[in-house]
Amino acid sequence: MSEKIRIGITGYGNLGKGAQSAIKQNDDMELVAVFTRRDPSSLDVGDPNVKVISLDDAEQYKDEIDVMLLCGGSAHDLPEQGPMLARHFNTVDSFDTHAKVNEYFDAIDAPAKEGGNTGIISIGWDPGYFSLNRLYGEATLPEGETYTFWGKGLSQGHSDAVRRVEGVKTGVQYTIPLEDAVNRVRAGENPSLETKEKHFRECYVVPEEGADKDAIEREIKTMPNYFADYETTVNFIDEDEMRKNHSNMPHGGFVIRSGKTGENTNQIMEYSLKLDSNPEFTSSVLVTYARACHRLNKAGDVGAKSMFDVAPGLLSPKSPSQLRKDLL
Amino acid sequence: MSEKIRIGITGYGNLGKGAQSAIKQNDDMELVAVFTRRDPSSLDVGDPNVKVISLDDAEQYKDEIDVMLLCGGSAHDLPEQGPMLARHFNTVDSFDTHAKVNEYFDAIDAPAKEGGNTGIISIGWDPGYFSLNRLYGEATLPEGETYTFWGKGLSQGHSDAVRRVEGVKTGVQYTIPLEDAVNRVRAGENPSLETKEKHFRECYVVPEEGADKDAIEREIKTMPNYFADYETTVNFIDEDEMRKNHSNMPHGGFVIRSGKTGENTNQIMEYSLKLDSNPEFTSSVLVTYARACHRLNKAGDVGAKSMFDVAPGLLSPKSPSQLRKDLL
């Protein structure tokens, strides 16, 4: 093994912690520093070998870090930090505001090129591996339809909406694919389906003492945008059960491409994920793409990239001939 | 749309015919010629715009073909034709003799580089998309296990073995994953499983008139290497049913990566194919990689490549920014 790839992490929430743990699973990498907007002395990353540095001082560490993993959020952190850091570092991020992805790509591309760096954006599973499978699917079977189902998974936005309902102490919401819709797609029927025809919404709610449960259920089920259009169930539980059964962040789903090649030949390509922890998986994908980012940059391939621009072999620590021998 | 990618096909069996039909589904490509070892005048490709040329004269067409799809078999055709054609053409093939893949890679690499050509080898689904998913799986979840299940699918070699049994008029064999094994893997158990513990074998046999069915069944079930180690069922049917229900070449299977990220977080990545026609799907993948082959060559990236070396975006007719907008 040659020298390890030196990784920095910006942001130490679920994603940053997941990245720290994923780096430990990869012998060819080491975590050098966590960069934070907080007071560095207030942050304990549980490892004396990892420096904790103020994000304001990041630039001073440009020669100590091969790839910076941007573990902030897409709404506020990445649009500000991404372009700033791409000027000084190779970066990998999980930017997921779909409507702004090309705008963000350009915002990374210019400073990355100026700094001679490589910035891979929108890494994770959706955007991420789901996007890849949509691409492989439509490229391979041009005459067909692509379906994305999400879940069973915890939806943060919808859980927040449930928790804002009067009389709700706490609550979570799971998005779950409708089995009948999944089966029709898997059978090659190529139905026309909107998101609400593919999923239902399951809520678990701890009510405040004395709250009107019927009113809570009614308010959730009729909430516009979030629930009104969907088949929705509301289950009332106590705090113990909430803690015991609903404190993780599972997620997953499928991407199905259903196409025809000959007159009557259906071909179904399906990709699915069943994740006990959504943020830990996303972090693992970020870390995998850090290896590719480092290699692309060493090969002089600078500027912004998406997953579509990264050859799969660059993700593995194995050599090309080893990969062919082991996996082809 | 700029000029179409001009495709040649070498070999006109199931794979070559499938490629011809797949090319019609891609507006940016056109089939220019089929090259054959047979007498060209004896071959009808059903399209007056497609030339039929003797393989011996292929070299004369090097300026009329952008990518040559090698649709011959791995046992005899490709080891001979691949290196010869790679000197004059960009090539894409489905070489699938796993034990010789690096040897074959080298045999394509040298003449391709000498001729300034790009040769992509071992394209299809296994080797092919299954290989890719083994790679994405182990790179993303380094602490885990990868499982490949084949089927339900027609196995050519095992069907041939059934047909060689005395008293068998004709027969087919399907390889089918054992549901219990699949479920254990999907549940994250990470069991240790040999091929025979993951699959069973289902045979459909038309006996000769007056043949001893018990003897046929016994001989199949005890046949060394092919069936003796497997759970095997033998069903006797008549020729009508054989023609009606068993004349297609369905196949498919799954690749599952089951890994852990945190202490107790299982993560399951699964890729599956359900194909009505194995050769038509393989051809569709070959055609998709022809586009990538053409682009790699235009970018000066010559020599042998595997699927691992090809960035996914090169497969699609869409531009990078369109891909990000539509699929990311």
Side-chain angles (χ1 to χ4, degrees), chain A residues 25 98 102 105 129 131-132 134-136 138-140 143 186 260-262 265-268 270 272 274-277 280 288 308 310 312-313 318 321 324-325 327-328, chain B residues 25 98 102 105 129 131-132 134-136 138-140 143 186 260-262 265-268 270 272 274-277 280 288 308 310 312-313 318 321 324-325 327-328:
Chain A
Q25 296 192 343
H98 178 76
N102 271 324
F105 183 92
Y129 288 152
S131 320
L132 272 190
R134 288 189 281 262
L135 191 161
Y136 283 116
E138 72 168 42
T140 309
E143 297 184 4
R186 284 189 180 143
K260 276 193 196 309
T261 48
T265 27
N266 286 317
Q267 315 275 27
I268 308 273
E270 175 169 342
S272 74
K274 201 174 74 187
L275 310 174
D276 278 359
S277 165
E280 283 181 15
T288 307
F308 302 143
V310 180
K318 294 180 177 172
S321 73
R324 290 191 297 268
K325 184 168 179 288
L327 302 178
L328 207 60
Chain B
Q25 295 192 344
H98 177 75
N102 271 324
F105 184 92
Y129 288 152
S131 320
L132 272 190
R134 288 190 280 263
L135 191 161
Y136 282 117
E138 72 169 39
T140 309
E143 297 184 4
R186 284 189 180 143
K260 276 194 196 309
T261 47
T265 27
N266 286 317
Q267 315 274 27
I268 307 273
E270 175 169 342
S272 75
K274 203 175 72 188
L275 309 174
D276 278 359
S277 165
E280 284 181 14
T288 307
F308 303 144
V310 180
K318 295 179 178 173
S321 74
R324 292 191 296 268
K325 184 168 178 288
L327 302 178
L328 207 60

Coordinates of all heavy atoms in Angstrom, one line a residue, chain A residues 25 98 102 105 129 131-132 134-136 138-140 143 186 260-262 265-268 270 272 274-277 280 288 308 310 312-313 318 321 324-325 327-328, chain B residues 25 98 102 105 129 131-132 134-136 138-140 143 186 260-262 265-268 270 272 274-277 280 288 308 310 312-313 318 321 324-325 327-328:
Chain A
Q25 N -13.1 1.9 7.8 CA -13.3 0.6 7.1 C -12.4 0.6 5.9 O -12.4 -0.5 5.2 CB -14.7 0.4 6.7 CG -15.7 0.3 7.9 CD -17.1 -0.2 7.5 OE1 -17.4 -0.2 6.4 NE2 -17.8 -0.7 8.5
H98 N -32.4 19.0 -6.2 CA -32.4 18.6 -7.6 C -32.5 19.8 -8.6 O -31.8 19.8 -9.6 CB -33.5 17.5 -7.9 CG -33.5 17.2 -9.3 ND1 -32.6 16.3 -9.9 CD2 -34.3 17.6 -10.3 CE1 -32.8 16.3 -11.2 NE2 -33.9 17.0 -11.5
N102 N -27.5 21.8 -11.7 CA -26.6 22.4 -12.7 C -26.0 23.7 -12.3 O -24.8 24.0 -12.6 CB -27.3 22.5 -14.1 CG -27.1 21.2 -14.9 OD1 -26.1 20.5 -14.8 ND2 -28.2 20.8 -15.6
F105 N -23.3 22.7 -9.9 CA -22.2 22.2 -10.7 C -21.3 23.3 -11.2 O -20.1 23.3 -11.0 CB -22.8 21.4 -11.9 CG -21.7 20.6 -12.7 CD1 -21.4 19.3 -12.4 CD2 -21.1 21.3 -13.8 CE1 -20.4 18.7 -13.2 CE2 -20.2 20.6 -14.5 CZ -19.8 19.3 -14.2
Y129 N -26.6 6.5 -6.3 CA -26.7 5.2 -7.0 C -28.0 5.0 -7.7 O -28.1 4.3 -8.7 CB -26.5 4.0 -6.0 CG -25.0 3.9 -5.6 CD1 -24.6 3.4 -4.4 CD2 -24.0 4.3 -6.4 CE1 -23.3 3.2 -4.0 CE2 -22.6 4.1 -6.1 CZ -22.3 3.6 -4.8 OH -21.0 3.5 -4.5
S131 N -29.5 7.4 -9.3 CA -29.3 8.2 -10.5 C -28.6 7.3 -11.5 O -28.9 7.3 -12.7 CB -28.5 9.5 -10.2 OG -28.9 10.1 -9.0
L132 N -27.5 6.7 -11.1 CA -26.7 5.8 -11.9 C -27.6 4.7 -12.5 O -27.5 4.4 -13.7 CB -25.6 5.1 -11.1 CG -24.3 5.7 -10.9 CD1 -23.4 4.7 -10.3 CD2 -23.7 6.2 -12.2
R134 N -30.8 4.8 -13.0 CA -31.7 5.4 -14.0 C -31.0 5.5 -15.3 O -31.5 5.2 -16.4 CB -32.2 6.7 -13.5 CG -33.2 6.6 -12.4 CD -33.9 7.9 -12.0 NE -33.1 8.8 -11.2 CZ -33.2 8.9 -9.9 NH1 -34.1 8.2 -9.2 NH2 -32.5 9.8 -9.2
L135 N -29.7 5.9 -15.2 CA -28.9 6.1 -16.5 C -28.6 4.7 -17.1 O -28.9 4.6 -18.3 CB -27.6 6.8 -16.1 CG -26.8 7.3 -17.3 CD1 -25.8 8.4 -16.8 CD2 -26.0 6.2 -18.0
Y136 N -28.1 3.8 -16.4 CA -27.8 2.5 -17.0 C -29.1 1.9 -17.6 O -29.1 1.3 -18.7 CB -27.3 1.5 -16.0 CG -25.8 1.7 -15.6 CD1 -25.4 2.0 -14.3 CD2 -24.8 1.5 -16.6 CE1 -24.0 2.2 -14.0 CE2 -23.4 1.6 -16.3 CZ -23.1 2.0 -15.0 OH -21.7 2.2 -14.7
E138 N -32.0 3.5 -18.8 CA -32.5 4.1 -20.0 C -31.5 4.0 -21.1 O -31.9 3.9 -22.3 CB -33.0 5.5 -19.8 CG -32.0 6.6 -19.6 CD -32.5 8.0 -19.7 OE1 -33.6 8.3 -19.2 OE2 -31.8 8.9 -20.2
A139 N -30.2 3.9 -20.9 CA -29.2 3.8 -21.9 C -29.3 2.3 -22.5 O -29.2 2.2 -23.7 CB -27.8 4.0 -21.4
T140 N -29.6 1.4 -21.7 CA -29.6 0.0 -22.2 C -30.9 -0.4 -22.8 O -30.9 -1.2 -23.8 CB -29.3 -1.0 -21.0 OG1 -28.2 -0.5 -20.3 CG2 -29.1 -2.4 -21.5
E143 N -36.3 1.8 -25.2 CA -37.8 1.7 -25.3 C -38.4 1.1 -24.0 O -38.5 -0.1 -23.8 CB -38.2 0.9 -26.5 CG -37.8 1.6 -27.8 CD -38.2 0.9 -29.1 OE1 -39.0 -0.1 -29.0 OE2 -37.8 1.3 -30.1
R186 N -42.9 -4.5 -11.7 CA -42.1 -5.7 -11.9 C -42.6 -6.7 -12.9 O -41.8 -7.4 -13.5 CB -41.9 -6.4 -10.5 CG -41.0 -5.7 -9.6 CD -40.7 -6.5 -8.4 NE -39.8 -5.8 -7.5 CZ -39.8 -5.9 -6.1 NH1 -40.8 -6.6 -5.5 NH2 -39.0 -5.2 -5.4
K260 N -38.6 -3.1 -23.5 CA -38.8 -4.2 -24.5 C -37.6 -4.1 -25.4 O -37.1 -3.1 -25.8 CB -40.1 -3.9 -25.3 CG -41.3 -4.4 -24.6 CD -42.5 -4.5 -25.6 CE -43.8 -4.6 -24.9 NZ -43.9 -5.7 -23.9
T261 N -37.1 -5.3 -25.8 CA -36.1 -5.4 -26.8 C -36.7 -5.9 -28.1 O -36.7 -5.2 -29.1 CB -34.9 -6.2 -26.4 OG1 -35.3 -7.5 -25.8 CG2 -34.1 -5.5 -25.3
G262 N -37.3 -7.1 -28.1 CA -37.9 -7.6 -29.3 C -39.4 -7.3 -29.3 O -39.9 -6.5 -28.5
T265 N -40.6 -9.2 -25.9 CA -39.6 -9.5 -24.8 C -39.5 -8.4 -23.9 O -38.9 -7.3 -24.2 CB -38.2 -9.9 -25.4 OG1 -38.1 -9.2 -26.7 CG2 -38.1 -11.3 -25.7
N266 N -40.0 -8.6 -22.7 CA -39.9 -7.7 -21.6 C -38.5 -7.9 -20.9 O -38.1 -9.1 -20.7 CB -41.0 -7.9 -20.5 CG -42.3 -7.4 -21.0 OD1 -42.4 -6.3 -21.6 ND2 -43.3 -8.1 -20.8
Q267 N -37.9 -6.9 -20.5 CA -36.6 -7.0 -19.8 C -36.7 -6.0 -18.6 O -37.1 -4.8 -18.7 CB -35.4 -6.5 -20.7 CG -35.5 -7.1 -22.1 CD -34.9 -8.5 -22.2 OE1 -34.8 -9.3 -21.3 NE2 -34.4 -8.8 -23.4
I268 N -36.5 -6.6 -17.4 CA -36.6 -5.8 -16.2 C -35.2 -5.7 -15.5 O -34.6 -6.7 -15.1 CB -37.6 -6.4 -15.2 CG1 -39.0 -6.7 -15.8 CG2 -37.7 -5.5 -13.9 CD1 -39.9 -5.6 -15.9
E270 N -33.6 -4.0 -12.1 CA -34.0 -3.4 -10.8 C -32.8 -3.2 -9.9 O -32.0 -4.1 -9.7 CB -35.0 -4.4 -10.1 CG -35.5 -3.9 -8.8 CD -36.7 -4.6 -8.2 OE1 -37.4 -5.2 -9.0 OE2 -36.9 -4.5 -7.0
S272 N -32.1 -2.0 -5.8 CA -32.8 -1.7 -4.6 C -31.8 -1.6 -3.4 O -30.8 -2.2 -3.4 CB -33.9 -2.7 -4.3 OG -33.3 -3.9 -3.9
K274 N -31.8 -1.4 0.9 CA -32.5 -1.6 2.2 C -31.5 -1.2 3.3 O -30.7 -2.0 3.6 CB -33.0 -3.0 2.4 CG -34.2 -3.2 3.3 CD -34.7 -4.6 3.4 CE -33.7 -5.5 4.1 NZ -34.1 -7.0 4.0
L275 N -31.7 0.0 3.8 CA -30.7 0.6 4.6 C -31.2 0.8 6.1 O -32.2 1.4 6.3 CB -30.3 2.0 4.1 CG -30.0 2.0 2.6 CD1 -29.8 3.5 2.1 CD2 -28.8 1.2 2.3
D276 N -30.4 0.2 7.0 CA -30.7 0.5 8.4 C -30.4 1.9 8.8 O -31.1 2.5 9.7 CB -29.9 -0.5 9.3 CG -30.5 -1.9 9.4 OD1 -31.6 -2.1 8.8 OD2 -29.9 -2.7 10.1
S277 N -29.4 2.5 8.2 CA -29.1 3.9 8.5 C -28.8 4.6 7.2 O -27.8 4.4 6.5 CB -27.9 3.9 9.4 OG -27.4 5.3 9.4
E280 N -25.5 6.8 7.4 CA -24.3 6.0 7.4 C -24.0 5.5 6.0 O -22.9 5.4 5.6 CB -24.3 4.9 8.4 CG -24.1 5.3 9.8 CD -24.1 4.1 10.8 OE1 -24.0 3.0 10.4 OE2 -24.2 4.4 12.0
T288 N -16.2 6.4 -0.5 CA -15.8 5.6 -1.7 C -15.5 6.6 -2.9 O -14.5 6.4 -3.6 CB -17.0 4.8 -2.2 OG1 -17.4 4.0 -1.1 CG2 -16.6 3.8 -3.3
F308 N -21.9 10.4 -12.8 CA -21.9 10.0 -14.2 C -20.5 10.1 -14.9 O -20.3 9.4 -15.9 CB -22.9 10.8 -15.0 CG -24.3 10.8 -14.5 CD1 -25.1 11.9 -14.6 CD2 -24.8 9.6 -13.9 CE1 -26.4 11.9 -14.1 CE2 -26.1 9.6 -13.5 CZ -26.9 10.7 -13.5
V310 N -17.6 9.4 -13.4 CA -16.6 8.6 -12.7 C -16.6 7.2 -13.1 O -17.6 6.5 -12.8 CB -16.8 8.8 -11.2 CG1 -15.7 8.0 -10.4 CG2 -16.8 10.3 -10.8
P312 N -16.3 3.3 -12.8 CA -16.5 2.5 -11.6 C -15.2 2.0 -11.0 O -15.1 2.0 -9.8 CB -17.4 1.4 -12.1 CG -18.1 1.9 -13.3 CD -17.2 2.9 -13.9
G313 N -14.3 1.7 -11.8 CA -13.0 1.1 -11.3 C -12.2 2.0 -10.4 O -11.5 1.6 -9.5
K318 N -8.6 -1.9 -5.4 CA -7.9 -2.9 -6.2 C -7.4 -2.3 -7.5 O -8.0 -1.4 -8.1 CB -8.9 -4.0 -6.5 CG -9.3 -4.8 -5.2 CD -10.2 -5.9 -5.6 CE -10.6 -6.8 -4.4 NZ -11.7 -7.7 -4.7
S321 N -6.3 -4.9 -13.1 CA -6.3 -6.3 -13.4 C -6.8 -7.2 -12.3 O -7.4 -8.2 -12.5 CB -4.8 -6.7 -13.8 OG -4.0 -6.8 -12.7
R324 N -10.6 -7.1 -12.6 CA -11.0 -8.0 -13.7 C -11.0 -9.5 -13.2 O -11.9 -10.2 -13.5 CB -10.2 -7.8 -15.0 CG -10.4 -6.5 -15.7 CD -9.7 -6.5 -17.0 NE -8.3 -6.6 -17.0 CZ -7.4 -5.6 -16.9 NH1 -7.8 -4.3 -16.9 NH2 -6.1 -5.8 -16.9
K325 N -9.9 -9.8 -12.5 CA -9.8 -11.2 -12.0 C -10.8 -11.5 -11.0 O -11.4 -12.6 -11.0 CB -8.4 -11.3 -11.4 CG -8.0 -12.7 -11.0 CD -6.5 -12.7 -10.7 CE -6.0 -14.1 -10.2 NZ -6.5 -14.4 -8.8
L327 N -13.8 -9.8 -10.1 CA -15.2 -9.3 -10.2 C -15.8 -9.5 -11.5 O -17.1 -9.4 -11.6 CB -15.3 -7.9 -9.7 CG -14.8 -7.6 -8.3 CD1 -15.0 -6.1 -8.0 CD2 -15.6 -8.4 -7.2
L328 N -15.0 -9.6 -12.6 CA -15.6 -9.5 -13.9 C -16.4 -10.8 -14.3 O -16.2 -11.8 -13.7 CB -14.6 -9.3 -15.0 CG -15.1 -8.6 -16.3 CD1 -15.7 -7.2 -16.0 CD2 -13.9 -8.4 -17.3
Chain B
Q25 N -33.2 0.8 -32.0 CA -33.8 1.5 -30.9 C -33.0 2.8 -30.6 O -33.4 3.5 -29.7 CB -33.9 0.6 -29.7 CG -34.9 -0.5 -29.9 CD -35.3 -1.2 -28.6 OE1 -34.6 -1.1 -27.6 NE2 -36.3 -2.0 -28.6
H98 N -14.3 -16.6 -17.8 CA -13.7 -15.8 -16.7 C -12.3 -16.1 -16.4 O -11.5 -15.1 -16.2 CB -14.6 -16.1 -15.4 CG -14.0 -15.3 -14.2 ND1 -14.1 -14.0 -14.1 CD2 -13.2 -15.8 -13.2 CE1 -13.5 -13.6 -13.0 NE2 -12.9 -14.6 -12.5
N102 N -8.0 -11.8 -18.1 CA -6.8 -10.9 -18.2 C -5.9 -11.2 -19.4 O -5.3 -10.3 -20.0 CB -6.0 -10.9 -16.9 CG -6.5 -9.9 -15.9 OD1 -6.9 -8.8 -16.3 ND2 -6.5 -10.2 -14.6
F105 N -7.7 -9.7 -22.2 CA -7.5 -8.3 -22.2 C -6.2 -7.9 -22.8 O -6.2 -6.9 -23.7 CB -7.5 -7.8 -20.7 CG -7.5 -6.3 -20.5 CD1 -8.6 -5.6 -20.4 CD2 -6.2 -5.7 -20.4 CE1 -8.5 -4.2 -20.2 CE2 -6.1 -4.3 -20.2 CZ -7.3 -3.6 -20.0
Y129 N -23.1 -6.1 -16.1 CA -23.8 -5.3 -15.0 C -23.7 -6.0 -13.7 O -23.6 -5.3 -12.6 CB -25.2 -5.0 -15.4 CG -25.4 -4.0 -16.5 CD1 -26.5 -4.0 -17.3 CD2 -24.4 -3.0 -16.7 CE1 -26.6 -3.0 -18.3 CE2 -24.5 -2.0 -17.7 CZ -25.6 -2.1 -18.5 OH -25.8 -1.1 -19.5
S131 N -21.1 -7.7 -12.7 CA -19.7 -7.4 -12.3 C -19.6 -5.9 -11.7 O -19.0 -5.7 -10.6 CB -18.7 -7.4 -13.5 OG -19.0 -8.5 -14.3
L132 N -20.3 -5.0 -12.4 CA -20.3 -3.6 -11.9 C -20.9 -3.5 -10.5 O -20.4 -2.8 -9.7 CB -21.2 -2.8 -12.8 CG -20.6 -2.1 -14.0 CD1 -21.6 -1.1 -14.6 CD2 -19.3 -1.4 -13.7
R134 N -21.1 -5.9 -8.3 CA -20.1 -6.5 -7.3 C -19.1 -5.4 -6.9 O -18.8 -5.3 -5.7 CB -19.5 -7.7 -7.9 CG -20.4 -8.9 -8.0 CD -19.7 -10.2 -8.4 NE -19.4 -10.3 -9.8 CZ -20.1 -11.0 -10.7 NH1 -21.2 -11.7 -10.3 NH2 -19.7 -11.1 -11.9
L135 N -18.7 -4.6 -7.9 CA -17.7 -3.6 -7.6 C -18.3 -2.5 -6.7 O -17.7 -2.1 -5.7 CB -17.1 -3.1 -8.9 CG -15.9 -2.1 -8.8 CD1 -15.2 -2.1 -10.2 CD2 -16.2 -0.7 -8.3
Y136 N -19.4 -1.9 -7.2 CA -20.0 -0.8 -6.4 C -20.3 -1.3 -5.0 O -20.2 -0.6 -4.0 CB -21.3 -0.4 -7.1 CG -21.2 0.6 -8.2 CD1 -21.6 0.2 -9.5 CD2 -20.6 1.8 -8.1 CE1 -21.4 1.0 -10.6 CE2 -20.4 2.7 -9.2 CZ -20.9 2.3 -10.4 OH -20.7 3.1 -11.5
E138 N -18.8 -3.9 -3.1 CA -17.7 -4.0 -2.2 C -16.9 -2.8 -2.0 O -16.3 -2.6 -0.9 CB -16.7 -5.2 -2.6 CG -15.9 -4.9 -3.8 CD -14.8 -6.0 -4.0 OE1 -15.1 -7.2 -3.8 OE2 -13.7 -5.7 -4.4
A139 N -16.9 -1.8 -2.9 CA -16.3 -0.5 -2.7 C -17.0 0.3 -1.7 O -16.4 1.0 -0.8 CB -16.1 0.2 -4.0
T140 N -18.3 0.2 -1.7 CA -19.1 1.1 -0.8 C -19.2 0.5 0.6 O -19.2 1.2 1.6 CB -20.6 1.2 -1.4 OG1 -20.5 1.6 -2.7 CG2 -21.4 2.2 -0.6
E143 N -16.9 -3.8 4.6 CA -17.1 -4.9 5.6 C -18.5 -5.6 5.3 O -19.5 -5.2 5.8 CB -17.1 -4.4 7.0 CG -15.8 -3.8 7.4 CD -15.6 -3.3 8.8 OE1 -16.5 -3.5 9.6 OE2 -14.5 -2.7 9.1
R186 N -31.0 -11.6 2.0 CA -31.7 -10.3 2.0 C -31.9 -9.8 3.4 O -32.0 -8.6 3.7 CB -33.0 -10.4 1.3 CG -32.9 -10.4 -0.2 CD -34.2 -10.2 -0.9 NE -34.1 -10.2 -2.4 CZ -34.9 -10.8 -3.2 NH1 -36.0 -11.5 -2.8 NH2 -34.7 -10.8 -4.5
K260 N -22.1 -4.0 6.8 CA -22.4 -3.3 8.0 C -21.6 -2.0 8.0 O -20.5 -1.9 7.5 CB -21.9 -4.0 9.3 CG -22.9 -5.1 9.7 CD -22.5 -5.6 11.1 CE -23.2 -6.8 11.5 NZ -24.7 -6.8 11.3
T261 N -22.3 -0.9 8.4 CA -21.5 0.4 8.5 C -21.3 0.7 10.0 O -20.1 0.8 10.4 CB -22.3 1.5 7.9 OG1 -23.6 1.5 8.3 CG2 -22.2 1.4 6.3
G262 N -22.3 0.8 10.8 CA -22.0 1.0 12.3 C -22.0 -0.3 13.0 O -22.0 -1.4 12.4
T265 N -25.7 -1.7 12.1 CA -26.5 -1.3 11.0 C -26.2 -2.1 9.8 O -25.1 -2.0 9.2 CB -26.2 0.2 10.7 OG1 -24.9 0.5 11.1 CG2 -27.2 1.1 11.3
N266 N -27.2 -2.9 9.4 CA -27.1 -3.7 8.1 C -27.5 -2.8 7.0 O -28.4 -2.0 7.1 CB -28.0 -4.9 8.2 CG -27.5 -6.0 9.1 OD1 -26.3 -6.3 9.1 ND2 -28.4 -6.5 9.8
Q267 N -26.7 -2.9 5.9 CA -27.1 -2.2 4.7 C -27.1 -3.2 3.5 O -26.1 -4.0 3.4 CB -26.0 -1.1 4.4 CG -25.6 -0.3 5.6 CD -26.5 0.9 5.9 OE1 -27.7 0.9 5.6 NE2 -26.0 1.9 6.5
I268 N -28.2 -3.2 2.8 CA -28.3 -4.2 1.7 C -28.4 -3.5 0.4 O -29.3 -2.7 0.2 CB -29.5 -5.1 1.9 CG1 -29.6 -5.8 3.3 CG2 -29.6 -6.2 0.8 CD1 -28.9 -7.0 3.4
E270 N -28.9 -4.3 -3.6 CA -29.3 -5.5 -4.5 C -29.5 -5.0 -5.9 O -30.2 -4.0 -6.2 CB -30.6 -6.1 -3.9 CG -31.1 -7.2 -4.8 CD -32.2 -8.1 -4.2 OE1 -32.4 -8.1 -3.0 OE2 -32.9 -8.8 -5.0
S272 N -30.9 -6.6 -9.6 CA -31.5 -7.8 -10.2 C -32.0 -7.6 -11.6 O -32.3 -6.5 -12.0 CB -32.7 -8.4 -9.3 OG -33.8 -7.6 -9.5
K274 N -34.5 -9.5 -14.7 CA -35.5 -10.5 -15.0 C -35.7 -10.4 -16.6 O -36.4 -9.5 -17.0 CB -36.8 -10.3 -14.3 CG -37.7 -11.5 -14.2 CD -38.9 -11.3 -13.3 CE -39.9 -10.4 -14.0 NZ -41.0 -10.0 -13.2
L275 N -35.1 -11.2 -17.3 CA -34.9 -11.1 -18.7 C -35.7 -12.1 -19.5 O -35.5 -13.3 -19.3 CB -33.5 -11.2 -19.1 CG -32.5 -10.4 -18.3 CD1 -31.0 -10.7 -18.7 CD2 -32.8 -8.9 -18.5
D276 N -36.6 -11.7 -20.4 CA -37.4 -12.6 -21.2 C -36.4 -13.2 -22.3 O -36.6 -14.3 -22.7 CB -38.5 -11.9 -22.0 CG -39.7 -11.8 -21.1 OD1 -39.7 -12.3 -19.9 OD2 -40.7 -11.2 -21.6
S277 N -35.4 -12.4 -22.7 CA -34.5 -12.9 -23.6 C -33.0 -12.5 -23.2 O -32.7 -11.4 -23.3 CB -34.8 -12.4 -25.0 OG -33.6 -12.6 -25.9
E280 N -31.0 -11.1 -26.3 CA -31.4 -9.7 -26.7 C -30.9 -8.7 -25.7 O -30.5 -7.6 -26.0 CB -32.9 -9.6 -26.9 CG -33.4 -10.2 -28.2 CD -34.9 -10.1 -28.3 OE1 -35.6 -9.3 -27.6 OE2 -35.5 -10.8 -29.2
T288 N -25.1 -0.4 -26.3 CA -24.9 0.8 -25.4 C -23.4 1.1 -25.2 O -23.0 2.3 -25.2 CB -25.5 0.5 -24.0 OG1 -26.9 0.0 -24.2 CG2 -25.5 1.7 -23.1
F308 N -15.4 -1.6 -16.1 CA -14.9 -0.8 -15.0 C -14.2 0.5 -15.4 O -14.1 1.4 -14.5 CB -13.9 -1.7 -14.1 CG -14.5 -3.0 -13.6 CD1 -13.7 -4.1 -13.6 CD2 -15.8 -3.1 -13.2 CE1 -14.2 -5.3 -13.1 CE2 -16.3 -4.3 -12.8 CZ -15.5 -5.4 -12.7
V310 N -15.2 2.5 -17.8 CA -16.1 3.3 -18.6 C -17.0 4.1 -17.7 O -17.8 3.6 -17.0 CB -16.9 2.5 -19.6 CG1 -17.8 3.4 -20.4 CG2 -16.0 1.6 -20.5
P312 N -20.1 6.0 -16.6 CA -21.5 5.8 -16.9 C -22.1 6.8 -17.9 O -22.8 6.4 -18.8 CB -22.3 5.8 -15.6 CG -21.2 5.6 -14.6 CD -19.9 6.0 -15.1
G313 N -21.7 8.1 -17.8 CA -22.3 9.1 -18.7 C -22.0 8.9 -20.1 O -22.7 9.3 -21.0
K318 N -27.5 11.5 -24.2 CA -27.7 12.8 -23.6 C -26.4 13.5 -23.2 O -25.4 12.8 -22.9 CB -28.6 12.7 -22.4 CG -30.0 12.3 -22.7 CD -30.8 12.2 -21.4 CE -32.3 11.8 -21.7 NZ -33.0 11.5 -20.4
S321 N -24.9 17.8 -19.0 CA -25.8 18.7 -18.3 C -27.2 18.2 -18.3 O -28.0 18.3 -17.4 CB -25.7 20.1 -18.7 OG -26.3 20.3 -19.9
R324 N -27.5 15.4 -15.9 CA -27.7 15.9 -14.5 C -29.1 16.4 -14.2 O -29.7 16.1 -13.2 CB -26.6 17.0 -14.2 CG -25.2 16.5 -14.2 CD -24.2 17.5 -13.6 NE -24.2 18.7 -14.5 CZ -23.3 18.9 -15.4 NH1 -22.4 18.0 -15.7 NH2 -23.3 20.0 -16.1
K325 N -29.6 17.1 -15.2 CA -31.0 17.6 -15.1 C -32.0 16.5 -15.0 O -33.0 16.6 -14.2 CB -31.2 18.6 -16.3 CG -32.5 19.3 -16.3 CD -32.5 20.4 -17.3 CE -33.8 21.2 -17.4 NZ -34.9 20.4 -18.0
L327 N -31.7 13.0 -14.6 CA -31.5 11.8 -13.8 C -30.8 11.9 -12.5 O -30.9 10.9 -11.7 CB -30.7 10.8 -14.7 CG -31.2 10.4 -16.1 CD1 -30.2 9.5 -16.8 CD2 -32.6 9.8 -16.0
L328 N -30.2 13.0 -12.2 CA -29.4 13.0 -10.9 C -30.3 13.2 -9.7 O -31.5 13.6 -9.8 CB -28.4 14.2 -11.0 CG -27.2 14.0 -10.1 CD1 -26.4 12.8 -10.5 CD2 -26.3 15.2 -10.1

